[in-house]
Amino acid sequence: NREAISLLKASVRSDVRSPALYQALGVAYFMAEDQARAELNFRTALTLAPTMDEAVHGLARVLIERGKASGALALLVEHLERTPDDDQARELLAGAYHGIGQHRSAAQQVVQVFNHLPEGAEDGPALERKAHLATDIGNYFGLDRKDKEAETWLLRAIGFAPKRDAVPYQNLGRLYLRADRNVDAFRVLSECKALFPEDQVTYVLLAW
């Protein structure tokens, strides 16, 4: 990353009006975990090219990481008014809503992304994508104490890709434990343990 940053900084000195170079430098700083410089470079890219999707995504991600979710929200809402089909921006908007505690709004944004998925796509990557989105939706609804909606989406996530990861099982188990549905919790967590025996979180939940 240091070498990439040095090369990009040299390129910027040669072409100070290139938004693509500032965008790339922002990505390099983000990967180097230098969030302040990443933010500065993404902002510079957007000053030069205000509608540059990649710079909007990068700046929003940095702002969320830095605890500036309200700034990311304002940026993304304005961006999505121009480009409403930008699903990556909409997922980031969900993260911004989550960052300010508006979990239901976060879930609704990801539902929109889910509904944009191509119909009939049932191959491995498509099912993994569905499972990822359904897990996020279920998690956000769970944080909003909308247990019925959370259960529905977490079960869908498991149905789409049962062996993808332990998170939907674990969060479903937490949901059941919270509702004193101990038999259901034991069932789903035991299934999770069988599929992902190395994940220690499941054992902790089973001990509750």
Side-chain angles (χ1 to χ4, degrees):
N1 276 340
R2 290 180 181 176
E3 183 179 354
I5 289 170
S6 296
L7 290 171
L8 286 165
K9 287 172 70 175
S11 297
V12 165
R13 285 193 290 270
S14 300
D15 187 0
V16 296
R17 302 292 298 174
S18 170
L21 287 175
Y22 287 106
Q23 151 67 16
L25 190 52
V27 171
Y29 276 124
F30 182 81
M31 293 177 66
E33 300 184 356
D34 189 338
Q35 309 289 19
R37 286 190 173 90
E39 179 179 342
L40 176 62
N41 280 277
F42 287 133
R43 288 191 183 278
T44 303
L46 285 173
T47 298
L48 296 168
T51 61
M52 186 178 189
D53 291 355
E54 296 86 350
V56 171
H57 300 162
L59 179 57
R61 190 171 287 108
V62 168
L63 291 174
I64 293 167
E65 289 270 342
R66 301 191 76 192
K68 302 178 180 180
S70 58
L73 192 148
L75 172 73
L76 291 163
V77 167
E78 181 181 353
H79 173 72
L80 284 163
E81 287 176 355
R82 295 192 306 267
T83 55
D85 293 332
D86 186 344
D87 286 340
Q88 186 175 344
R90 199 165 294 282
E91 283 190 77
L92 286 165
L93 181 58
Y97 275 123
H98 170 63
I100 61 172
Q102 294 187 18
H103 306 304
R104 191 180 311 181
S105 295
Q108 289 167 347
Q109 294 302 317
V110 188
V111 168
Q112 287 192 54
V113 176
F114 186 92
N115 289 338
H116 288 168
L117 293 175
E119 293 185 11
E122 298 295 337
D123 60 0
L127 291 174
E128 292 268 339
R129 176 69 170 151
K130 287 182 176 180
H132 170 78
L133 293 173
T135 298
D136 284 352
I137 295 165
N139 292 345
Y140 288 137
F141 274 129
L143 289 169
D144 196 48
R145 298 284 174 163
K146 297 294 181 182
D147 289 358
K148 183 176 180 180
E149 292 89 342
E151 180 182 11
T152 296
W153 282 100
L154 291 170
L155 286 170
R156 291 185 76 181
I158 292 168
F160 289 134
K163 298 180 180 180
R164 177 177 174 270
D165 65 51
V167 172
Y169 295 92
Q170 292 166 351
N171 285 346
L172 190 58
R174 289 185 179 97
L175 197 72
Y176 290 149
L177 288 169
R178 188 168 75 196
D180 292 326
R181 293 171 58 180
N182 295 327
V183 173
D184 289 329
F186 181 79
R187 173 181 51 77
V188 75
L189 291 170
S190 295
E191 184 178 354
C192 183
K193 183 178 74 171
L195 289 168
F196 310 100
E198 302 301 319
D199 195 310
Q200 297 302 307
V201 173
T202 307
Y203 295 91
V204 174
L205 290 170
L206 279 166
W208 281 8

